[in-house]
Each structure stands twice: as C-alpha cells, then as structure tokens.
Amino acid sequence: MNRTLRTLLVAAAGVGVAVTGGALADGLVSAEPIVQQQQVDEIALALSNPGAHPRLGLPDFVMRPGDPTMAATAKTVADVLWDDLNFEREYYLIPRTTTAGIPVTPVAAIPYQQWADAGADVVLHGNAYPSGGNLVVELRLVSVRGAAPGAQYFGKKYQCGLQTARGPRDCAHQIADDFHWEVRRVQGVARTRIAFTSDRDAVRVGGRPNQSAAASKEIYIADYDGANQMRFTANRSINISPAWAPGGSLLAYTSYSTGFPDVYVANLAQPGRGLQRPAAGTEAIHNQLAAWSPDGSMLAFMSNRTGDQDIWVVNRDGTGLRNLTTFRGADEGSPTWSPDGTQLAFTSDRAGIPQLYTINLTGTGTRRITSERIDRPTWSSLNFIAFTIGSPGSEIGIWDFANPGVKVLTAGAGTSESPSVSPNGRHIAFFTTRWGRQEIAVMDRTGQNVRRLTTTGNNTYPNWQPIPGR
Amino acid sequence: MPKLDPIPSASGRGGGRRRTRSVRVSSSLAEINVVPLVDVMLVLLVIFMVAAPMMQQGYPVQLPESRQSRPIEAPVMVTIPLSFRQDQRVLIGSESVPFQFLAERARQAVDARSEKNVIIATDGGITMAEAIRVWDELRAAGITQVSVQTQPARGR
C-alpha cells in the first residue's frame, strides 16, 4: 500500500503527462526501490578527494543484445541522465566518452579497478530491458573505492513510458530529479522548462501605425537544457516577458496583439484558447510585466492607469485591483514577489535613475535596497534578488538578504540581462549578447558554468518554470 | 682579589687617572666585582648574536580581508617514472594512473583550481617522445601551463 502510494506520487510529478499506469503513458511511469542484502543505509562514501564532490561514472546500461531501437533509447536515457546529473554539480561526472572503453557488465562484475583508475568514487550502474512497450531501468549507485567496493548506496527501478519522442528525455529528467532528491536531498530542476521571447519566426507586425515597423516576437518554451524548443503563442504580434504561475501550468505574458500592451494568462495545456486578461487593459490603460504571487492567487504588474507607471496587484479572476505605489511623478516597474508573498520588489526612478525598492503588500514600508541602476529584479525562493545592473554594459547581479551587498555574477563579454532564478535557487537563466545576437543562457548562481540554450534569432526575457505540480 | 691596576681610560687624560687610583687604593673592598658581570654579559651577547638573524621578520601588516580570494594551492605533480615504458602508468600526486585515463584524471586534479598548471617530474631515461605523449594528454585536459622539474647541476 505504502509503495503504491509512493509510486503514484512520483508518477504524478510528471510534466503534463496523463498517467494511466499502463503502457500508454509517457515519461516516467513508475519508480520503486530495489532492496538488496548488501544495501547500505548510511551514505558515507570512501572519497579519493575528501572535501570535493564525489566522482561518478555512468556507463551504458546493460541490455540484452538484439534490439537496436531499444538500445538507442537506453543510450539516450543514459546520455540525458548524465547531463542532468552534471548540471546540478552534486557529483563530478566523468565524461562517458572517457569511460566508453570500460566493459559494460552486470552489477556483480563491475571492473572496480578500471573505474578507480578513471578516478571514479561511485558508479551509477544501469540495467535496462523492455517491458510492454516501456523501458525499465534499474539503477544502482555502487561504490568502486575504499574498503568495500561494491557497496550499494541506492537502488531503484524506473519504468519509462515511450509514447512520444519526448518520452526518453522526460523520463531521464524525472529519474535525475528523483535521484538527486533520494541521494543528495537536492530538489533538481531537470523536469522544468524555460519560457522566453524570440523573433526567430518574425513577421512584420501589421495594424497599428506605431508598431508597424516592428518585427513580431512570440513566446517559446524549451526544456531547461534547451531541448524541445517549441512555439507557444502564434498571434503575429509582440509577446514578451512570460511568467510561469506556481505549479507550472499557467503562463502570464505581455502581448500587443490588440494593439496595446496587456497582461494575458494562458493555460499550457491549451495554448491560444481560454486566454484571460485579469488586468483589463484598454486603448488607454496599458499593463505589462506580470508576476505571480507565490500562492498563485494574485498577479502584480506595471500599469499606467493613474498617469505614471505604477505597480498594481489584482486577483487572478480580475477582482481586488489596487495600486501599491502611489508615489507621484516617478515610474515604477518590474514587480517581483518575495518568497512568503508579503512583500514585492520593484524598480523606481523616484531618485533619478531606476533603483531597487521593496514594499509590503499592504502598500506600506517602502525601502530602497541599493543605489545602483537596477532593472528586471527577480526574487528567488532562496531569498535573494537577481537583477540586471548597470546600463549600458549591463550585467547580472544579485542581492542576498542573508549577506547584504551587490554581487555581480557576469563580466566582460557582451551584455547580460533579465535574470530568472531556477526553482531550487541554484541556477540563473538570462539573455546575453556575448555570442553576437541576444541568446538565452543558463549559469550557476556563482556565475560559473555558463551554458547556451538558443542559437537562432534574438531571444530575450527567459522565465524559469516552477517545479511542475507543486 | 681586587685588582689594583687602573682601567685604562679611553680619553687618557692624566688628571682622571690620578683621581681614580687614589679612590681605589683607599677603599678596594667596596668596589664591585665586574668579572662575573662581564662573563654573563658576554654569554648574553653571544646568545643574542646567534638569535638575532633568526628573529628577522617581515614588516607587520594587517592583511586585507577578502571573501573572493582562494588559498594558494600547491601545484599538481605529474611524475613519469622509468617504468612508464613498461606499464604505461604515470603518477598524479602519489597515485598511479594508466595512460588512457591521464587526461581525465588531470582534469579532475585541476577541476576546482583557478590556475590550471602542473609540474612534470620526468626520469632522465624517459625519451622526449614519451614525455611529449604525456604532455599532449595534459594539454588535452585543458591545462594551460606545464612546467618541467629539474635539479641543479652538480660540480661546475
């Protein structure tokens, strides 16, 4: 009973996947622990390099020969799993090409000495076989060093649904997140996606004269690693600054599709249908840059309805509209919610240049955080604010409330703008001109390990999806 | 045994000498015996002469604090022993590594370091061709600076 419940819970975490429990599902179908006699309860590794990350080798999965299609699928799962584990940097991942020469054997016959020679502390051994159209992967984390090579720290059996082309990748992402949680107690982000604006399919925007010269921009959605990039809006207008709702199934964005900017809320499951406009813009009232409250019940946005640009909040159904920043004669913009939902951060030029302020949701307690030129702040669930700092020549900076002070993460090459923090607070997506055009990139919170996600068109305003289903 | 001889004065003035002699003759028992004092002082002098060079210190400075700085790291040593020719293994630090994993292990060794440099210690019997094979692997691992360890020539 307990195991069944757990299986259901893990399966329900899938990305927009209808889990039927049978062979017709996609992505991760089920996951159950493998219990072994020599299983080690305590995760204490014999490390070759104390203090550093354990080094992990990930060989090809063991498969019965004779099924090249399934073998290719298993290889995809292993490759994507390697990439996902490498992304969180909980382990030093030994490149799979380096260890390709080490024989792939059943778990009992792992050549420990060869893995130790390659520098591995542990090996994530996989055993894969087809089962009713699904691919079953048995994963075991095995020590290859120290007094007891062969000790098993982790063992779990996953069933991957392979209904669509996304299946193997989605399954590997979910395995990676489950593995990170089970072994390292780290909330992985491998199954999240990133929404962004791109002009890669640009057409000239018709209609209103003040925008007739502009090329269209649409919202796109990609996996966190840049795979499976797909177009989300298709209205041949300008659609910018997407914002995921908590739970990851609704997307708010600013669109000029009616000629003036307004905030739209779209459902990921049915793009283009059932659009809501909670901010109720008109020809005269322009609303932009929406941000969801942490519980998903409210939206904050920037609006000109009292003359200058102010921060307004509204309930998702369009009720409870009110102005938070009634300060006259200055423009406020780019709202973002604190993790507990009681405060917002925004930019205001009331002191001359746009600077970072916070305010209580009640409209009281306005406080200036920094005196630098700040744009596009985003308040992470780990209680730091990432933002664009400086202009021109802008960079990504963060303000950590636990350790106050501005820390600039990027430097030099091109400009870097508009950060969005991953749900676990360990990575930052942003757009940069360091490769010529505007491209989406992802880096660690430390500013290291920059990884490029897009290659075509100009891509801007990335927004990182919260953990789906939460 | 008080000494009655006058201590030669540096100035050598006659008047001074005469006065000194008359005082000593009259009260020789009240004079301080300086010989043990000189002994002790000489010993102390020798001690401080020996100790003084050891007390050489840098100027006292209050070093600035930095959250960004990293400790100075000892360089990674790669040793190519003569047995490399037989077993194709080199040493990274003190660990024996087969040649096929050399690039990966070197990458692991410098992974967290800001300066990607290693020092090669090669046996004199290793040929240039063999050393270059190792060198190539290190360059493939992204190591930008490779130094060769030598010892000073004896004799001339």
Side-chain angles (χ1 to χ4, degrees), chain A residues 159-219:
Chain A
Q159 253 195 73
C160 289
L162 305 172
Q163 282 309 298
T164 67
R166 291 188 61 97
R169 292 193 74 91
D170 281 351
C171 192
H173 291 329
Q174 290 159 39
I175 291 173
D177 283 354
D178 186 58
F179 177 82
H180 271 133
W181 181 250
E182 290 287 328
V183 180
R184 308 289 295 187
R185 281 293 179 267
V186 165
Q187 179 67 68
V189 294
R191 63 185 189 274
T192 59
R193 302 185 194 182
I194 292 173
F196 56 95
T197 298
S198 177
D199 66 357
R200 62 183 67 178
D201 303 316
V203 294
R204 283 175 73 86
V205 177
R208 302 185 54 79
N210 60 340
Q211 286 146 22
S212 57
S216 69
K217 296 173 192 237
E218 306 279 4
I219 307 285

Side-chain angles (χ1 to χ4, degrees), chain A residues 36-115:
Chain A
Q36 296 234 330
Q37 291 92 347
Q38 83 265 37
Q39 184 145 15
V40 179
D41 292 330
E42 195 181 342
I43 297 177
L45 299 174
L47 293 180
S48 57
N49 50 341
H53 296 303
R55 302 198 189 105
L56 186 142
L58 178 55
D60 276 338
F61 296 155
V62 182
M63 285 204 83
R64 199 175 299 129
D67 192 345
T69 318
M70 215 44 133
T73 304
K75 190 158 173 52
T76 304
V77 172
D79 285 341
V80 175
L81 185 59
W82 187 95
D83 205 39
D84 290 345
L85 296 179
N86 193 37
F87 186 69
E88 289 295 348
R89 309 215 172 251
E90 284 293 308
Y91 294 91
Y92 176 99
L93 269 282
I94 299 172
R96 275 161 55 72
T97 48
T98 307
T99 57
I102 299 178
V104 175
T105 63
V107 69
I110 295 176
Y112 301 124
Q113 187 53 48
Q114 289 191 44
W115 281 104

Side-chain angles (χ1 to χ4, degrees), chain A residues 153-343:
Chain A
Y153 299 116
F154 168 86
K156 216 160 181 180
K157 186 162 124 185
Y158 298 95
Q159 253 195 73
C160 289
L162 305 172
Q163 282 309 298
T164 67
R166 291 188 61 97
R169 292 193 74 91
D170 281 351
C171 192
H173 291 329
Q174 290 159 39
I175 291 173
D177 283 354
D178 186 58
F179 177 82
H180 271 133
W181 181 250
E182 290 287 328
V183 180
R184 308 289 295 187
R185 281 293 179 267
V186 165
Q187 179 67 68
V189 294
R191 63 185 189 274
T192 59
R193 302 185 194 182
I194 292 173
F196 56 95
T197 298
S198 177
D199 66 357
R200 62 183 67 178
D201 303 316
V203 294
R204 283 175 73 86
V205 177
R208 302 185 54 79
N210 60 340
Q211 286 146 22
S212 57
S216 69
K217 296 173 192 237
E218 306 279 4
I219 307 285
Y220 290 75
I221 295 174
D223 289 356
Y224 89 102
D225 56 3
N228 295 320
Q229 302 198 4
M230 62 169 196
R231 186 165 161 179
F232 183 68
T233 62
N235 54 26
R236 302 184 155 217
S237 180
I238 292 173
N239 304 279
I240 57 168
S241 67
W244 293 95
S249 60
L250 296 177
L251 192 65
Y253 56 93
T254 305
S255 175
Y256 287 74
S257 56
T258 51
F260 52 87
D262 197 9
V263 171
Y264 291 73
V265 176
N267 195 329
L268 201 62
Q270 358 168 265
R273 277 190 281 155
L275 289 180
Q276 293 170 338
R277 293 168 62 180
T282 66
E283 287 278 339
I285 298 175
H286 297 173
N287 308 305
Q288 303 178 58
L289 307 182
W292 293 90
S293 67
D295 62 359
S297 66
M298 281 188 281
L299 279 160
F301 58 95
M302 171 181 161
S303 177
N304 67 345
R305 57 185 78 203
T306 51
D308 55 4
Q309 298 284 0
D310 282 324
I311 306 299
W312 292 68
V313 291
V314 68
N315 292 332
R316 208 175 103 188
D317 57 8
T319 61
L321 181 73
R322 66 194 166 91
N323 187 350
L324 273 194
T325 56
T326 49
F327 189 88
R328 287 262 146 243
D331 286 343
E332 278 82 28
S334 297
T336 176
W337 297 75
S338 71
D340 61 3
T342 60
Q343 290 183 83

Side-chain angles (χ1 to χ4, degrees), chain B residues 84-139:
Chain B
F84 175 70
R85 215 166 277 166
Q86 266 83 49
D87 60 8
Q88 299 288 302
R89 293 178 86 92
V90 298
L91 291 133
I92 294 182
S94 59
E95 197 178 359
S96 174
V97 171
F99 181 75
Q100 67 177 120
F101 294 130
L102 173 60
E104 173 58 24
R105 294 301 297 271
R107 195 177 293 123
Q108 292 171 9
V110 298
D111 179 44
R113 289 164 177 262
S114 50
E115 290 190 359
K116 313 280 186 206
N117 57 349
V118 301
I119 297 176
I120 296 186
T122 308
D123 189 281
I126 292 290
T127 64
M128 184 63 121
E130 286 162 328
I132 292 292
R133 281 180 66 206
V134 172
W135 198 303
D136 272 352
E137 289 296 304
L138 296 176
R139 295 300 292 258

Side-chain angles (χ1 to χ4, degrees), chain B residues 56-78:
Chain B
Q56 289 286 336
Q57 285 178 338
Y59 285 94
V61 289
Q62 183 71 44
L63 290 174
E65 292 181 359
S66 167
R67 275 174 292 159
Q68 299 296 317
S69 60
R70 299 178 184 203
I72 299 171
E73 298 147 329
V76 174
M77 291 289 301
V78 174

